[in-house]
Amino acid sequence: MTVSTAADLDAPACLRVARGASITLGDALLADLDRRRARMLETLTSGAPVYGVSTGLGALSEHRLDTEAQESHQQSLLLARAVGGAPWLTPDEVRAVLVVRLRGLINGDAGVSAGLCRHLVTVLDAGVLPALPRLASGAAGEIIPLAHLGGALTGIGQVLDGDGRAVAAGPALRSAGIDPYHLGAKEGIALIEGVPMTTALAMLCSDGARTALRDAQLVLAAELALTRASRDALDPALARGDDVLAGVTRTLRALAGTEPLPRSLQPPVSFRVSPQLLAHLERALDQLDQAVGRALDGVTDSPAYLDDERFVGSAGFSGYDLAAYLHLVTVALVGVAEVGAARLHRLMDPRVTGVGAQLSPDPGPHTGLSPVHKRAVGVVHSLRQLTLPSTVGTVETSAGQEDVQSFSLEAAETCRLAIAGLRDVLAGELLAVHQLQGLGATLPGDAAPELTTRLQQVADLLPTGTGDRAWGVDLQTLRDLLDR
């Protein structure tokens, strides 16, 4: 795709690049970047102190740098700050970070050259991806992992090899026919400012969570249909004043079909409240997407070079906004997983399903799926530990200059883990749904083709028969299906 303005790299476009799409920067955009940089360099000649360009950083910002020191300063900014290590982000995650970093640079506030932006596109196209640490970024912004990013671009850091291991960047760049980039004035500090990593990971979390939300709707619809549950909780009149809940219940009604003879007057509470939790997750994701949009469009460089040719220090390196909504999504995901595990427990009850206890074909000689529920309980217990907000509990660093922190990357990591945990629970529920069908439960005739197709996918992947087997193999198969 051709990028003519920064707005062309919106969240959907960044996701496409993360998954392998290539981009070309338009000539007019590159010319605009170079014109802005020329004005920025002229402004620098005034001699007024500019944070991170003619001064040190953080607690050392009062130290002025002479002309000779300034020439090497942009490169040296990346050295001592590269203190991260494995585990590294995956290639898709790194590609997402690189394209979001590019988006921030072409916004214009950083005053970087068109050459640096072209270099980012070149390493993306060549697949020479920086090794970016996933954990332990205790800074007010993202300077630690972004120092790894900048170091890789300049040949002094590390990149990922084909096995996801970190190797020296210099030889890898040369092997790909790419010269290490030489940083000009202000380009080193520009690379380590902002929140491109949290923004990129938040986009990926939102996308992954929306896929899990769709899967959760399918699973819930299957459980309602196969247990012959009353559809009262899906009545459109009950969603008055809540358009999101109305959409969720409409989807579930269409998927599950009708049930003229419910097994009981009311299904368990876990079945009835599930649409509300799914609606809450959808609302939380909408709010996260809005925060991502603000991060993409906002001024995140510090100091930012503004249109009126001033250098202005900003707080654009703070990821608080993203961290807060990532936490909201994390808690919503954990809530969906908890209620899913509760429904799975109810599926062990013949009064709910109409088949053998514990979904066993012969209770006693065969255990059935009770151990599958135990695994889901263990997953949910671990998920509860992710619900502590990262934005609470700041710690001072940099001799007190950085006296609060957002820990936004930690918020992104807990959200990623919550998505993985929900998929674990959904895999258990899918296995129970498959077992229900094997024991004779059937879908109503007006169940949606989307649901029948998905359940047929599951049946095609799993062994035939309902007797005991090593259910963990089945669960892994279903996890792989959900991860696609």
Side-chain angles (χ1 to χ4, degrees):
M1 80 183 82
T2 299
V3 176
S4 300
T5 68
D8 291 335
L9 283 179
D10 58 8
C14 288
L15 284 172
R16 290 195 295 274
V17 174
R19 290 174 182 135
S22 60
I23 57 177
T24 301
L25 299 179
D27 292 339
L29 172 62
L30 294 170
D32 284 345
L33 286 168
D34 276 339
R35 281 193 292 270
R36 189 178 184 94
R37 178 161 179 79
R39 295 197 304 272
M40 188 273 293
L41 292 174
E42 185 175 349
T43 305
L44 281 176
T45 62
S46 69
V50 178
Y51 180 82
V53 179
S54 59
T55 76
L57 260 63
L60 302 179
S61 60
E62 300 303 317
H63 290 251
R64 294 292 296 270
L65 304 176
D66 59 28
T67 302
E68 182 178 354
Q70 288 182 40
E71 291 181 358
S72 61
H73 184 50
Q74 297 305 298
Q75 186 79 26
S76 64
L77 286 175
L78 309 176
L79 287 172
R81 291 170 175 81
V83 297
W88 309 108
L89 296 185
T90 66
D92 282 2
E93 290 171 326
V94 176
R95 287 183 63 87
V97 173
L98 288 175
V99 72
V100 173
R101 176 70 293 176
L102 174 65
R103 164 64 193 259
L105 296 180
I106 64 178
N107 278 341
D109 308 310
V112 302
S113 67
L116 177 55
C117 296
R118 281 195 297 263
H119 188 71
L120 274 166
V121 172
T122 298
V123 298
L124 267 169
D125 286 345
V128 184
L129 303 177
L132 302 181
R134 182 178 294 283
L135 306 174
S137 181
E142 298 179 354
I143 60 171
I144 291 174
L146 291 179
H148 285 263
L149 185 154
L153 298 180
T154 60
I156 62 173
Q158 295 176 301
V159 298
L160 298 175
D161 67 8
D163 296 319
R165 295 173 301 193
V167 298
L173 288 168
R174 289 191 290 272
S175 178
I178 302 171
D179 292 329
Y181 186 79
H182 178 73
L183 295 168
K186 198 180 176 297
E187 291 188 321
I189 188 171
L191 284 173
I192 62 174
E193 288 294 333
V195 283
M197 286 191 63
T198 306
T199 307
L201 296 177
M203 286 192 308
L204 293 171
C205 282
S206 177
D207 187 62
R210 287 191 186 278
T211 299
L213 173 58
R214 290 192 293 271
D215 287 332
Q217 289 177 328
L218 283 165
V219 167
L220 174 58
E223 292 169 348
L224 291 166
L226 293 171
T227 61
R228 293 175 45 207
S230 166
R231 306 296 197 268
D232 279 2
L234 306 182
D235 192 301
L238 301 180
R240 184 175 61 211
D242 189 339
D243 291 342
V244 176
L245 179 59
V248 169
T249 53
R250 183 169 55 248
T251 296
L252 291 169
R253 287 195 305 274
L255 288 169
T258 57
E259 178 50 65
L261 297 172
R263 188 176 303 281
S264 61
L265 184 61
Q266 289 190 329
V269 170
S270 56
F271 283 68
R272 284 181 276 150
V273 303
S274 289
Q276 296 178 39
L277 272 78
L278 295 177
H280 173 65
L281 174 56
E282 184 174 332
R283 280 190 289 267
L285 288 168
D286 289 343
Q287 292 181 72
L288 177 59
D289 289 344
Q290 292 169 21
V292 167
R294 290 191 291 272
L296 289 174
D297 292 336
V299 177
T300 61
D301 206 74
S302 184
Y305 183 66
L306 302 182
D307 291 338
D308 58 4
E309 301 185 1
R310 287 183 301 140
F311 289 102
V312 178
S314 80
F317 52 81
S318 173
Y320 186 92
D321 187 35
L322 287 164
Y325 289 108
L326 281 163
H327 174 67
L328 180 65
V329 170
T330 297
V331 174
L333 288 163
V334 173
V336 173
E338 282 194 316
V339 174
R343 291 197 312 267
L344 180 55
H345 195 200
R346 298 280 74 79
L347 294 178
M348 304 296 111
D349 187 344
R351 295 171 297 178
V352 174
T353 64
V355 302
Q358 301 183 174
L359 295 177
S360 168
D362 186 9
H366 287 264
T367 299
L369 297 194
S370 178
V372 173
H373 172 250
K374 294 179 186 295
R375 170 171 167 168
V377 168
V379 170
V380 166
H381 182 266
S382 67
L383 290 178
R384 290 171 184 155
Q385 300 172 52
L386 304 178
T387 59
L388 178 69
S390 68
T391 53
V392 175
T394 60
V395 181
E396 286 194 358
T397 63
S398 193
Q401 177 71 14
E402 296 183 2
D403 54 356
V404 294
Q405 315 214 12
S406 65
F407 294 109
S408 60
L409 287 172
E410 285 74 8
E413 177 65 6
T414 56
C415 191
R416 182 186 73 87
L417 293 173
I419 295 169
L422 174 55
R423 285 176 176 152
D424 264 333
V425 173
L426 290 173
E429 291 184 83
L430 267 180
L431 181 55
V433 163
H434 175 70
Q435 189 79 347
L436 259 174
Q437 288 187 293
L439 295 172
T442 58
L443 296 173
D446 60 347
E450 182 183 358
L451 180 60
T452 56
T453 298
R454 188 62 158 175
L455 297 187
Q456 187 58 53
Q457 277 184 311
V458 172
D460 291 342
L461 290 170
L462 298 183
T464 57
T466 58
D468 286 354
R469 56 180 181 263
W471 301 115
V473 177
D474 291 1
L475 290 169
Q476 186 57 55
T477 298
L478 294 174
R479 267 304 309 265
D480 292 344
L481 174 66
L482 293 168
D483 285 341
R484 291 177 190 170

